[in-house]
Amino acid sequence: MRDQYRALVGTRLFEHISGEELSAMLECLGARERACRKGEFIVLEGDVLDCIGAVVEGSVQMRKEDVWGGSSILAVVGPGEVFGESIVCGGLDRSVVSFLAGADARVLLLSFRRVLCTCSRSCRFHHRLVQNMVGLIAAKNVQLMEKLEITSKKSIRERVLTWCSQQAQRSGSPRFTSELGRVELADYLCVDRSALTRELSRMKEEGLLDYERNSFRLIRDN
């Protein structure tokens, strides 16, 4: 198989699918590769969306804009994860959110019809791909519920602590590294960037957490 796709072997979307099977599957699915620079939109809200995206490298952000031009990050999708699946699986004709590269990225665009419908060759592991897709959709729903939990908090400190707790639980350690810079993190938490920076400094001084750029350590003794 092509070397640039080896990183996908064993990821959640292609779990239990070998490299040789993956190579044939990508051909069967009519996979199209797209390289994106950081900040480049892959799908705009309102665009017709009839494919599912799989991240090969980098990251993709799911964003929602309001009528005043404000933007909020709903979810961040990393290598081996998919985006757009909830929209096309929900039968919507057009995307209700935007997707853009959170970092320089390479994505594969997979035909939704070919993903869900077994091809004439009856690929042996096609059903496994569908099962993996269902698992990823469930995981995305959990991620969106985490976002809802954060935005339900009233203060910036509560939102930061809730986010830190989620990240620590996901990594299995009070130490974790975030893909989000300060501007992106402020967008995700739905707070002002300057106010977030000030609150992080206060929380560090009070011994609630420690951080260095995008590396954090949640101090749970407090």
Side-chain angles (χ1 to χ4, degrees), residues 200-209:
L200 285 172
S201 295
R202 283 194 289 265
M203 293 173 71
K204 186 174 184 178
E205 291 175 358
E206 294 173 21
L208 293 173
L209 57 81

Side-chain angles (χ1 to χ4, degrees), residues 15-98:
E15 190 175 12
H16 303 305
I17 298 173
S18 69
E20 292 73 18
E21 291 158 347
L22 176 57
S23 182
M25 181 176 287
L26 292 179
E27 180 180 355
C28 176
L29 296 176
R32 296 179 289 114
E33 182 179 347
R34 177 173 172 181
C36 309
R37 304 292 293 178
K38 181 178 180 179
E40 179 181 348
F41 281 94
I42 303 169
V43 176
L44 283 170
E45 183 175 348
D47 284 353
V48 174
L49 186 62
D50 59 0
C51 62
I52 295 169
V55 181
V56 181
E57 292 179 355
S59 63
V60 171
Q61 298 175 0
M62 179 195 298
R63 284 181 170 264
K64 180 66 177 179
E65 295 185 359
D66 57 36
V67 294
W68 298 279
S71 178
S72 175
I73 299 174
L74 299 180
V76 179
V77 183
E81 298 179 325
V82 297
F83 60 92
E85 76 289 350
S86 298
I87 295 169
V88 293
C89 287
L92 300 177
D93 294 331
R94 296 179 181 275
S95 181
V96 295
V97 295
S98 296

Side-chain angles (χ1 to χ4, degrees), residues 140-164:
K140 182 68 64 61
N141 287 337
V142 171
Q143 191 174 7
L144 292 176
M145 284 191 291
E146 291 178 345
K147 167 79 171 185
L148 182 60
E149 180 187 9
I150 289 171
T151 55
S152 69
K153 305 301 182 183
K154 294 183 179 180
S155 70
I156 296 177
R157 176 166 296 197
E158 288 177 313
R159 294 188 179 193
V160 171
L161 288 175
T162 300
W163 175 75
C164 286

Side-chain angles (χ1 to χ4, degrees), residues 162-175:
T162 300
W163 175 75
C164 286
S165 177
Q166 292 172 353
Q167 298 301 309
Q169 289 176 343
R170 183 176 291 113
S171 65
S173 168
R175 298 179 182 272

